[in-house]
């Protein structure tokens, strides 16, 4: 009888090098898609699309959903999901723009938006981590509750912001070297998120929990506490995004953040974050946000119907998921 020698696993350094190479390929592919979209926009509507004001608008609009997507990327990387991000943004924006809150000025609006986001994230985290609820159900309940509370606070009316220091952030005079302040905040959140996920113990624990929760527990990681912190982080990002939206719109509405959860999940998926957990990329998620925002802008400039836009987004999501399945099957 012939004995067969089991195949040796590739060196750990080699596996990580392969993963990094494939991540770079994914990001380069997204950059190629983004470049193609810019060419399309430049050809179809050159005067409007390539105008500095329009490019600033695209980046500004991407900033709000982009901040939400950074938090969503962490949650999905851990093997969870957060369907309540759009509703949390709505609740935080309307709570931060009530007359009582605006009496405290800039600091009052910012603090309230962040506090509401953290509070909702805490509830989600406790339900999922310590209540044993499935993330889909827990965050779905938060979605319904936050939307209902936002509607109750506003009574269906738009709350106008009257604090000059908040409104001034959205004016061209506040731009830094031609860059809107909201874009600078988005960039800061992106850099912080990248460092947190890729250069800290917190990020390594997040990936470990998403890859194999039981193995992570046996390795000494407090899985429940880690999941709590992740939903807190998602809530924090929602609070920041709510403040940015208040600056951008100059008001608070219960309809704010509509479908943000779908856009954030889609951006993270096409960026390379695995729905099953264990792998996440902040850079890819940000590129996904820019791709979707650019698509929306091009469709708007060309007066194309929104249903065609949604079909295009859906096709991109399906293609990204199929690509993920292939890469997972190939061992990435």
């Amino acid at each position: 009888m012939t004995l067969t020698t089991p195949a040796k696993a590739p060196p750990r350094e080699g596996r990580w090098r392969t993963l990094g190479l494939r991540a770079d390929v994914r990001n380069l592919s997204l950059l190629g898609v983004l470049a193609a979209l810019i060419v399309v926009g430049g050809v179809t509507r050159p005067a409007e699309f390539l105008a500095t004001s329009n490019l600033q608008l695209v980046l500004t609009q991407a900033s709000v959903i982009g901040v939400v997507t950074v938090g969503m990327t962490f949650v999905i990387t851990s093997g969870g999901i957060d369907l309540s991000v759009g509703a949390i943004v709505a609740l935080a924006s309307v709570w931060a723009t009530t007359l009582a809150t605006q009496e405290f000025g800039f600091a009052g609006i910012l603090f309230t938006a962040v506090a509401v986001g953290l509070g909702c994230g805490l509830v989600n985290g406790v339900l999922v981590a310590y209540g044993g609820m499935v993330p889909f159900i827990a965050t779905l309940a938060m979605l319904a509750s936050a939307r209902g509370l936002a509607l109750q606070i506003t009574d269906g009316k738009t709350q106008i912001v009257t604090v000059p220091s908040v409104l001034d952030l959205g004016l061209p005079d506040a731009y830094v070297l031609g860059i809107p302040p909201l874009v600078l905040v988005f960039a800061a959140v992106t850099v912080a998120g990248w460092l947190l996920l890729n250069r800290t113990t917190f990020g390594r624990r997040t990936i470990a929990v998403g890859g194999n929760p039981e193995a992570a527990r046996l390795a000494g990681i407090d899985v429940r506490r880690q999941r709590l912190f992740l939903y807190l982080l998602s809530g924090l990002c929602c609070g920041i995004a709510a403040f940015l939206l208040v600056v951008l719109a100059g008001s608070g509405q219960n309809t704010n953040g509509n479908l943000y959860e779908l856009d954030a999940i889609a951006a993270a998926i096409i960026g390379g974050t695995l729905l099953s957990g264990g792998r996440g990329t902040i850079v890819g998620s940000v590129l996904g946000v820019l791709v979707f925002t650019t698509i929306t802008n091009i469709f708007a400039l060309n007066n194309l119907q929104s249903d065609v836009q949604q079909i295009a987004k859906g096709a991109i999501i399906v293609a990204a998921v199929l690509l993920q399945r292939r890469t997972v099957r190939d061992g990435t």
Side-chain angles (χ1 to χ4, degrees):
M1 182 175 62
T2 303
L3 297 176
T4 57
T5 304
K8 293 183 179 180
R12 185 177 183 84
E13 293 80 3
R15 292 200 303 270
W16 281 112
R17 190 178 297 112
T18 302
L19 284 173
L21 178 61
R22 298 201 178 190
D24 290 339
V25 171
R26 284 192 298 270
N27 291 339
L28 288 175
S29 299
L30 283 173
L31 282 174
V33 172
L34 186 59
L37 289 173
I38 292 175
V39 171
V40 171
V43 170
T44 57
R45 291 286 180 177
E48 297 89 344
F49 181 79
L50 297 177
T52 301
S53 58
N54 184 64
L55 297 178
Q56 290 172 334
L57 175 63
V58 170
L59 291 175
T60 301
Q61 292 176 337
S63 298
V64 180
I65 185 61
V67 171
V68 174
T69 303
V70 170
M72 181 69 78
T73 300
F74 277 88
V75 173
I76 295 178
T77 301
S78 71
I81 199 73
D82 191 348
L83 300 179
S84 64
V85 290
I88 294 175
V89 169
L91 178 60
S93 68
V94 300
W95 206 324
T97 54
T98 60
L99 293 177
T101 303
Q102 293 193 51
E103 290 181 359
F104 294 93
F106 183 98
I109 293 176
L110 175 59
F111 174 80
T112 302
V114 172
V116 171
L118 283 172
C120 293
L122 176 63
V123 173
N124 281 337
V126 169
L127 291 176
V128 172
Y130 295 96
M133 293 186 67
V134 177
F136 182 91
I137 300 300
T139 58
L140 185 62
M142 175 58 72
L143 183 156
S145 300
R147 282 288 179 194
L149 184 55
L151 178 60
Q152 187 177 49
I153 291 175
T154 62
D155 195 24
K157 301 175 182 177
T158 300
Q159 298 178 163
I160 304 299
V161 176
T162 58
V163 179
S165 56
V166 173
L167 298 174
D168 289 346
L169 286 178
L171 299 178
D173 292 341
Y175 291 6
V176 179
L177 300 177
I179 303 175
L182 275 66
V183 178
L184 296 176
V185 173
F186 176 35
V189 171
T190 299
V191 171
W194 185 90
L195 292 173
L196 188 61
L197 184 61
N198 297 282
R199 293 292 184 268
T200 67
T201 302
F202 182 87
R204 290 191 290 272
R205 289 175 177 171
T206 299
I207 295 172
V209 169
N212 191 325
E214 182 61 21
R217 185 187 67 81
L218 294 175
I221 298 176
D222 190 333
V223 175
R224 293 190 300 178
R225 184 176 63 182
Q226 185 70 16
R227 285 174 173 163
L228 173 63
F229 286 160
L230 288 166
Y231 281 98
L232 277 171
L233 178 60
S234 179
L236 173 63
C237 289
C238 289
I240 295 173
F243 178 76
L244 298 183
L245 190 57
V246 167
V247 172
L248 182 62
S251 63
Q253 303 178 58
N254 65 286
T255 56
N256 282 344
N258 188 35
L259 297 181
Y260 272 20
E261 55 278 357
L262 299 183
D263 288 342
I265 293 171
I269 291 173
I270 71 169
T273 299
L274 284 181
L275 270 174
S276 56
R279 187 181 75 197
T281 163
I282 297 297
V283 174
S285 295
V286 170
L287 290 175
V289 169
L290 292 176
V291 166
F292 279 136
T293 307
T294 305
I295 290 174
T296 301
N297 183 259
I298 292 174
F299 273 67
L301 290 178
N302 286 276
N303 297 318
L304 296 176
Q305 296 180 356
S306 60
D307 54 351
V308 180
Q309 174 185 324
Q310 297 302 324
I311 292 173
K313 285 185 176 181
I316 293 174
I317 295 171
V318 170
V321 172
L322 291 176
L323 180 60
Q324 277 195 3
R325 293 184 60 184
R326 179 178 178 181
T327 54
V328 170
R329 187 169 58 248
D330 291 342
T332 60

